[in-house]
Amino acid sequence: MKLLLALLLPLVTYAQDPNTTAETPQDHKLLIYQLLPRLFGNKVALNKTYGTIQENGCGKFNDINDLALTQIKDMGFSHVWYTGVLEHATMTAYPGIPADDADVVKGRAGSPYAVKDYYDVAPDLAVNVHARMAEYEALIKRTHAHGLQVLMDFIPNHVARSYHSDAHPAGVQDLGAQDDKTQAFAPNNNFYYLPNQHFVVPAGYNPLGPLQGPREDGKYEEFPAKATGNDVFSAAPTINDWFETIKLNYGVDYLHGHATHFDPIPNTWRQMRDILVFWAQKDVDGFRCDMAEMVPVEFWAWVIPELKKVKPSLVFIGEAYNPREYGTYFTKGHFDYLYDKVGLYDGLRRLMRQEGRTEDITHVWSQESAGFGSKMLRFLENHDEQRIASPDFATDPRRAIPAMTVSATLGSGPVMVYFGQEVGEPARGNEGFSSADGRTSIFDYWGVPEHQKWMNQGKFDGARLSAEQQRLRDFYVRLLRLAGSSEAIRAGQFYELQAANKAGQGYDASKLYAYLRYTQGQQVLVVVNFSDSQTYSPTLAIPPAAWQAMGLDAQRAYTLRDLLGNGPAQPGNHPVALPPLGALVLEIKPQ
């Protein structure tokens, strides 16, 4: 690659330059490692479809030990999101804890998002079931001792149909205990009701395929029936609905024009605040808030400041999918961060599949998240999405290299990796309820084979990884450490170079994407190649407006230091080839 330092474009006033944004970057470079304890520490490799916990095994809080946390920290992460911690509906029984009715449970292990007790943790995750809370508290302390912060789920929109808290603090009334069940809606009811109607299990639901689940008979006694979690106000939800959950009532009368009843504060708001306070007082550092847009923004506007009175440093991350409402959830709702799923994730997914356009990246920073790019959480995998290495997504995990580089360096906001992503886990196999869908199941007991090679029966040394997996993981480590340490990436301004180069010799703007990140103290050039077959050696131009913005003299001679590959510094006009699926992060230094 050559840097062409001549003045190729007319001088553009910085504030009006369409290649950059007026946003003042803020350092929000959280580096988050998402893991499900149920899957992360599981050493069993049987992987039997619809297997029981005894057959397929289950990870425990205690499996996330000092060795594991040392490795997570060494990769460069600052936060761990422990997913699926809360007690949820399951087909597995324990002494004093009966199995839930299979007719309203998805998967033998059950969905972590069908919470059965907001004040308790899943017995599956404990070595000593009766000491399960103590084991989770010990994990929180252990995580902090390794310099990592703890995130956990807050699931505000719905609970399991079998919800009943037997672990709530003294004086706390259980959800629904005081509801007027004769009313479809009442402002202080915790649930929505369908008076005089019995709940009907969806026709054709077969919880365990050829096997029989606990109490499975196609029936579940719920009278009066309650509205289902995905806003279905019918006693007979379909098999495609979230029929295993019931919707919580935040004071919105859905059946009468979504009329709101927020004054006085609804009972559900206060109950949810108390639940969040309970976990904050256990020294949790933040919450990933499930389906944040399915509860009214007015609730967030009230509850997040309430929680920050208790612990000002708490972080709130919203799972959000409507770009038109991002600004509302930041300004009115007080969220710290929101998912960048329908923008950057979807655009990068298309590029990784050799279907997309680099213009989609431009649209994200210039339009969709303009003004709050520092607050968008970027990722390529999570528990809801397909694995990159699966045939359903990109097949080759190396296709993540350019996309992950963009995710980690495009802005100064948080970036997330899902456990197993760094070693190319492809999510093969039919787990049971989850089926062979390219995702690692959250519903079934399962081992995660490529992750298990890194875990190596609890040694966490990666000794069983192939050479190619070692190289992939090494890329993630180098990228994450760089993202966490580089001043320009953590807090720098952004300048896109597509317009300056789209007509340039050897520059294919449909496959290459280039930009600058810079502060007064550091200037960095990022170039990635999304092609899986073509090598490029373009002459890359930096326009005068960009030199001016960086505070550098375009007429000087510069060297380029490879921050990602740790290669030697090279003259700024030295050609460097960008191979298929390649990525370069180059520091610009005066000679």
Side-chain angles (χ1 to χ4, degrees):
M1 179 187 306
K2 293 181 180 178
L3 285 183
L4 184 62
L5 305 184
L7 303 185
L8 298 179
L9 296 177
L11 196 63
V12 180
T13 303
Y14 176 63
Q16 300 173 334
D17 194 330
N19 300 296
T20 187
T21 170
E23 178 183 352
T24 301
Q26 300 174 13
D27 184 352
H28 291 296
K29 191 55 74 177
L30 283 61
L31 297 164
I32 302 169
Y33 191 65
Q34 183 195 2
L35 67 87
L36 276 79
R38 181 206 291 166
L39 300 173
F40 179 85
N42 185 17
K43 304 176 184 70
V44 179
L46 177 64
N47 284 354
K48 175 184 176 182
T49 302
Y50 294 113
T52 66
I53 190 170
Q54 292 80 13
E55 292 169 325
N56 281 352
C58 182
K60 309 295 182 184
F61 292 131
N62 290 359
D63 290 320
I64 309 166
N65 57 22
D66 288 315
L67 282 173
L69 291 166
T70 296
Q71 289 296 317
I72 293 169
K73 178 67 174 178
D74 189 61
M75 283 188 73
F77 291 103
S78 60
H79 291 67
V80 186
W81 168 17
Y82 294 122
T83 307
V85 165
L86 295 175
E87 184 179 12
H88 55 269
T90 175
M91 296 189 207
T92 301
Y94 291 92
I97 309 173
D100 288 278
D101 189 319
D103 293 297
V104 287
V105 180
K106 288 181 177 176
R108 192 182 286 277
S111 168
Y113 294 93
V115 174
K116 192 162 63 172
D117 190 343
Y118 279 122
Y119 289 100
D120 207 349
V121 296
D124 276 351
L125 305 181
V127 174
N128 179 348
V129 170
H130 298 296
R132 58 190 181 275
M133 185 63 79
E135 290 186 22
Y136 182 49
E137 291 169 342
L139 174 58
I140 294 171
K141 291 178 182 177
R142 194 160 59 248
T143 306
H144 287 155
H146 285 269
L148 294 159
Q149 296 201 325
V150 173
L151 305 175
M152 65 179 289
D153 291 290
F154 174 53
I155 303 154
N157 175 66
H158 51 269
V159 295
R161 291 203 176 266
S162 60
Y163 187 91
H164 172 69
S165 177
D166 52 17
H168 61 69
V172 173
Q173 290 186 334
D174 207 9
L175 288 170
Q178 301 298 313
D179 282 7
D180 180 354
K181 298 179 183 180
T182 67
Q183 300 296 315
F185 167 82
N188 279 312
N189 276 1
N190 298 135
F191 301 116
Y192 297 95
Y193 295 92
L194 298 145
N196 303 315
Q197 298 183 59
H198 290 269
F199 171 74
V200 180
V201 173
Y205 182 51
N206 189 7
L208 293 178
L211 307 176
Q212 185 74 12
R215 304 202 301 280
E216 180 185 347
D217 59 2
K219 301 174 184 176
Y220 181 75
E221 181 56 34
E222 181 181 283
F223 181 82
K226 302 181 183 77
T228 291
N230 59 323
D231 298 353
V232 173
F233 289 78
S234 166
T238 72
I239 202 166
N240 296 317
D241 291 317
W242 304 349
F243 63 85
E244 81 281 20
T245 68
I246 47 179
K247 174 85 173 176
L248 282 163
N249 170 14
Y250 283 80
V252 179
D253 189 350
Y254 282 79
L255 301 182
H256 292 89
H258 292 70
T260 57
H261 301 261
F262 299 154
D263 187 13
I265 297 297
N267 179 265
T268 300
W269 290 28
R270 298 186 186 278
Q271 294 252 35
M272 295 296 111
R273 176 198 59 193
D274 293 347
I275 290 160
L276 287 165
V277 169
F278 174 83
W279 292 108
Q281 290 177 338
K282 291 190 179 295
D283 215 13
V284 168
D285 300 293
F287 300 94
R288 177 269 190 187
C289 301
D290 185 69
M291 301 305 297
E293 295 163 312
M294 292 190 76
V295 301
V297 70
E298 290 84 357
F299 165 71
W300 300 114
W302 176 79
V303 81
I304 292 177
E306 287 281 299
L307 264 292
K308 294 200 175 187
K309 293 175 187 175
V310 176
K311 188 174 182 179
S313 62
L314 279 172
V315 169
F316 282 84
I317 301 171
E319 180 190 13
Y321 298 104
N322 183 359
R324 292 185 298 275
E325 294 297 326
Y326 288 168
T328 302
Y329 278 80
F330 283 129
T331 57
K332 185 175 180 179
H334 301 299
F335 271 96
D336 296 293
Y337 309 107
L338 295 175
Y339 270 34
D340 195 345
K341 195 277 178 188
V342 299
L344 194 62
Y345 168 87
D346 282 356
L348 291 175
R349 178 185 168 97
R350 290 189 291 270
L351 283 162
M352 292 165 70
R353 290 169 56 86
Q354 307 294 298
E355 299 168 351
R357 310 177 312 154
T358 58
E359 289 94 331
D360 292 342
I361 305 174
T362 305
H363 177 75
V364 169
W365 69 258
S366 65
Q367 302 292 325
E368 198 170 89
S369 59
F372 38 80
S374 299
K375 305 183 80 173
M376 300 303 294
L377 170 66
R378 271 73 191 249
F379 55 85
L380 296 183
E381 286 189 359
N382 64 40
H383 66 280
D384 285 320
E385 307 302 338
Q386 291 172 324
R387 292 286 193 175
I388 296 161
S390 75
D392 306 84
F393 188 159
T395 305
D396 185 349
R398 295 176 303 159
R399 290 189 180 185
I401 290 171
M404 190 67 212
T405 302
V406 171
S407 284
T409 68
L410 186 72
S412 57
V415 61
M416 184 170 73
V417 171
Y418 189 40
F419 84 104
Q421 176 183 339
E422 71 275 23
V423 295
E425 170 58 40
R428 295 190 188 96
N430 180 355
E431 300 101 332
F433 176 83
S434 191
S435 74
D437 61 359
R439 297 174 177 84
T440 296
S441 175
I442 66 171
F443 304 98
D444 307 282
Y445 298 111
W446 202 251
V448 184
E450 304 311 310
H451 165 73
Q452 287 178 331
K453 292 178 182 178
W454 171 72
M455 182 171 59
N456 193 17
Q457 290 298 313
K459 296 183 181 71
F460 295 100
D461 60 5
R464 294 169 54 209
L465 295 175
S466 69
E468 186 172 329
Q469 286 176 311
Q470 293 277 16
R471 286 191 292 271
L472 181 68
R473 188 175 185 277
D474 179 63
F475 158 74
Y476 276 93
V477 171
R478 287 184 281 111
L479 177 64
L480 291 163
R481 288 177 179 173
L482 175 61
S485 62
S486 165
E487 172 187 314
I489 292 169
R490 290 193 68 98
Q493 296 279 356
F494 168 86
Y495 195 101
E496 188 185 81
L497 298 175
Q498 295 298 91
N501 288 279
K502 63 183 179 182
Q505 182 178 359
Y507 194 89
D508 182 351
S510 69
K511 295 296 183 183
L512 300 179
Y513 190 73
Y515 52 95
L516 300 163
R517 296 294 311 283
Y518 59 91
T519 62
Q520 189 173 13
Q522 186 185 40
Q523 299 79 37
V524 168
L525 166 67
V526 181
V527 193
V528 300
N529 176 11
F530 288 102
S531 171
D532 61 0
S533 60
Q534 181 70 40
T535 295
Y536 293 94
S537 299
T539 299
L540 191 67
I542 297 179
W547 288 112
Q548 178 184 346
M550 289 190 291
L552 299 179
D553 180 358
Q555 304 303 327
R556 289 192 62 176
Y558 293 89
T559 61
L560 301 175
R561 186 165 71 93
D562 183 357
L563 299 180
L564 185 56
N566 298 318
Q570 299 181 7
N573 62 353
H574 188 84
V576 178
L578 198 65
L581 305 177
L584 292 169
V585 181
L586 305 168
E587 185 174 28
I588 304 170
K589 301 285 285 187
Q591 282 188 0

